[in-house]
């Protein structure tokens, strides 16, 4: 796939140094060069971008499903359908997210996602449960939550065959800091989330090696001027990357603005937290074993109305950031969905338009909708 040479011309390219009007060449699935103006002679078959904006393929590090399937399933074809749907819509790198399940089911799900990662279809997996607070369980079944356990972590890490990228931990739980340190020592990114932690407890987790805040604001103790909690700890710690679900439901634009202004664009990671209903429309679905009703694109648990995941794809979050969050331009929003999440989880070779990086591209129309997608140098959707 992507073995032929292609040159994209007349493109507004987002490079690590900013936007450049010019060209980009690919060969064997990688970016071979880019620059301003016209391409050099003999650069390969040319595709005119028509002056459109070209971003790196987006990198969704917190996603649970799409196109009717979920990463908790173990059918390989169902899992591939999530990848294919997202790829066609501009999310070219995914980290498959799992919700809380029994220890046996979690092991089976991890093994299935390890197979997908071995094929290169996903960049690894993310365990949002089970080591989270029952008081802030969100759309996780509280009956399936348990205290952090390094023995269980070791078994899951082994089952993942090196593809476990991130785990969420509530720092106030017994054994949490021990698990944070153990995971960090194995190169697994630890996130603080679904938590009633105080500021000091969250800060202790960051000192122990945690480096991400799971969907900032959501499913965590609220900010208070006398007890800033995990939100205050994450916003003020330069070591921490802040996940943000910018779907118009989870976070008010003003709260998103606070995150961007307090932390800077280099620490905000746009994610979708998307569920199986993404791409399908309104109706009833499941998240893990919980029933979810989607109405007007908004997903909530049937039982108590709790917000349950989103129904967007990652380029939607980029567009919404530019349109609704004051002070956030396209370059900042795009990096928050490409290079920032890739760096936070140590995913190499994606998230930037630079020589040697994977030739994953998203071509945008003037309204910031997706007009074209390239994956590993081959067009999934030709602009």
């Amino acid at each position: 796939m992507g073995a032929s040479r292609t040159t994209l011309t007349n493109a507004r390219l987002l490079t690590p140094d900013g936007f450049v009007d010019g060209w980009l060449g690919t060969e064997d699935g990688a970016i071979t060069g880019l620059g301003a103006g016209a391409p050099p002679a003999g650069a390969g078959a040319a595709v005119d971008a028509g002056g459109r904006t070209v971003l790196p393929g987006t990198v969704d590090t917190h996603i649970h499903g799409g196109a009717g399937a979920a990463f908790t399933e173990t059918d390989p074809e169902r899992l591939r359908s999530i990848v294919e749907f997202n790829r066609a819509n501009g999310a070219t790198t995914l980290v498959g997210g799992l919700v809380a399940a029994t220890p046996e089911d979690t092991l089976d799900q991890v093994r299935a996602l390890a197979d997908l990662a071995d094929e290169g279809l996903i960049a690894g997996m993310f365990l949002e449960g089970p080591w989270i607070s029952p008081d802030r369980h969100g759309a996780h079944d509280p009956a399936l939550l348990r205290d952090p356990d390094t023995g269980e972590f070791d078994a899951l890490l082994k089952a993942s065959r090196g593809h476990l990228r991130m785990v969420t931990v509530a720092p106030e739980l017994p054994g949490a800091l021990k698990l944070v340190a153990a995971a960090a020592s194995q190169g697994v990114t630890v996130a603080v989330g679904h938590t009633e932690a105080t500021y000091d407890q969250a800060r202790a987790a960051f000192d122990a090696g945690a480096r991400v805040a799971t969907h900032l604001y959501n499913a965590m103790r609220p900010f208070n001027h006398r007890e800033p909690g995990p939100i205050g700890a994450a916003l003020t710690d330069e070591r921490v990357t802040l996940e943000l679900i910018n779907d118009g439901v989870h976070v008010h634009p003003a709260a998103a603005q606070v995150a961007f202004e307090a932390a800077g664009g280099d620490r905000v990671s746009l994610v979708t937290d998307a569920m199986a209903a993404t791409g399908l429309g309104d109706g009833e679905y499941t998240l893990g074993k919980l029933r979810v009703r989607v109405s007007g694109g908004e997903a909530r648990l049937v039982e108590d109305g709790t917000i349950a995941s989103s129904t967007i794809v990652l380029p939607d979050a980029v567009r919404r950031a530019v349109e609704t969050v004051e002070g956030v331009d396209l370059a900042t929003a795009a990096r928050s969905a490409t290079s920032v999440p890739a760096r936070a989880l140590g995913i190499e070779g994606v998230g930037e338009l630079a020589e040697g990086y994977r030739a994953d591209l998203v071509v945008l129309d003037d309204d910031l909708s997706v007009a074209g997608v390239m994956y590993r140098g081959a067009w999934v959707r030709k602009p």
Side-chain angles (χ1 to χ4, degrees):
M1 188 176 187
S4 62
R5 299 173 67 191
T6 300
T7 301
L8 197 62
T9 63
N10 190 21
R12 182 174 178 246
L13 305 164
L14 178 61
T15 75
D17 298 319
F19 282 106
V20 171
D21 293 325
W23 62 277
L24 180 146
T26 76
E27 186 173 5
D28 294 331
I31 297 171
T32 54
L34 69 164
V47 175
D48 190 335
R52 293 186 181 96
T53 297
V54 179
L55 309 178
T58 61
V59 180
D60 197 344
T61 56
H62 186 155
I63 176 173
H64 295 286
F71 281 120
T72 51
E73 302 178 39
T74 55
D75 182 333
E77 293 308 312
R78 299 272 293 167
L79 296 174
R80 290 188 186 99
S81 71
I82 305 170
V83 176
E84 291 166 0
F85 166 78
N86 275 274
R87 185 184 299 162
N89 286 282
T92 53
T93 299
L94 305 180
V95 175
L98 298 175
V99 296
T102 66
E104 297 78 16
D105 285 348
T106 303
L107 277 169
D108 288 342
Q109 292 161 6
V110 165
R111 292 185 184 110
L113 292 186
D115 291 341
L116 209 64
D118 282 343
E119 293 182 52
L121 295 178
I122 60 173
M125 67 202 71
F126 159 47
L127 301 180
E128 191 174 3
W131 306 308
I132 58 178
S133 169
D135 296 323
R136 293 284 175 180
H137 61 83
H140 295 254
D141 186 343
L144 296 171
L145 305 183
R146 41 201 182 269
D147 288 340
D149 181 272
T150 54
E152 183 178 20
F153 169 79
D154 289 341
L156 291 167
L157 182 63
K158 182 178 180 180
S160 79
R161 302 197 295 274
H163 296 300
L164 181 57
R165 287 280 183 182
M166 183 166 65
V167 298
T168 295
V169 178
E172 71 275 20
L173 296 179
L177 295 186
K178 184 178 179 181
L179 191 145
V180 170
S185 72
Q186 294 292 326
V188 176
T189 300
V190 182
V192 167
H194 286 275
T195 177
E196 270 292 331
T198 64
Y199 173 89
D200 289 339
Q201 288 171 326
R203 183 73 187 205
F206 297 137
D207 287 342
R211 290 295 180 263
V212 171
T214 295
H215 45 51
L216 187 74
Y217 302 120
N218 295 111
M220 58 178 60
R221 177 196 286 259
F223 181 93
N224 180 278
H225 59 291
R226 282 188 288 272
E227 175 43 77
I231 297 171
L235 284 172
T236 57
D237 194 324
E238 293 185 355
R239 300 171 295 182
V240 179
T241 299
L242 315 172
E243 287 187 354
L244 207 61
I245 307 172
N246 191 45
D247 63 345
V249 177
H250 282 76
V251 176
H252 191 282
Q257 180 183 347
V258 168
F260 274 101
E261 290 187 353
D266 287 341
R267 286 209 290 124
V268 176
S269 174
L270 295 177
V271 297
T272 64
D273 196 21
M275 64 171 296
T278 306
L280 297 185
D282 292 351
E284 284 204 10
Y285 303 88
T286 58
L287 182 63
K289 296 186 182 301
L290 301 180
R291 293 168 59 214
V292 176
R293 181 176 294 115
V294 178
S295 178
E298 184 174 321
R300 291 183 178 271
L301 293 182
V302 172
E303 182 180 6
D304 61 9
T306 299
I307 294 176
S309 294
S310 84
T311 59
I312 63 170
V313 288
L314 196 50
D316 294 336
V318 173
R319 174 183 52 78
R320 287 192 60 86
V322 176
E323 293 176 349
T324 67
V325 183
E326 187 172 342
V328 175
D329 59 16
L330 179 56
T332 300
R335 288 180 179 128
S336 291
T338 55
S339 58
V340 173
R343 183 177 64 248
L345 268 65
I347 306 171
E348 298 181 350
V350 299
E352 293 187 11
L353 300 186
E355 188 172 344
Y357 276 63
R358 204 166 76 192
D360 296 349
L361 317 174
V362 176
V363 183
L364 300 181
D365 275 329
D366 290 341
D367 63 358
L368 304 185
S369 63
V370 175
V373 179
M374 177 183 281
Y375 174 71
R376 295 182 182 269
W379 290 108
V380 180
R381 289 170 58 180
K382 194 171 183 178

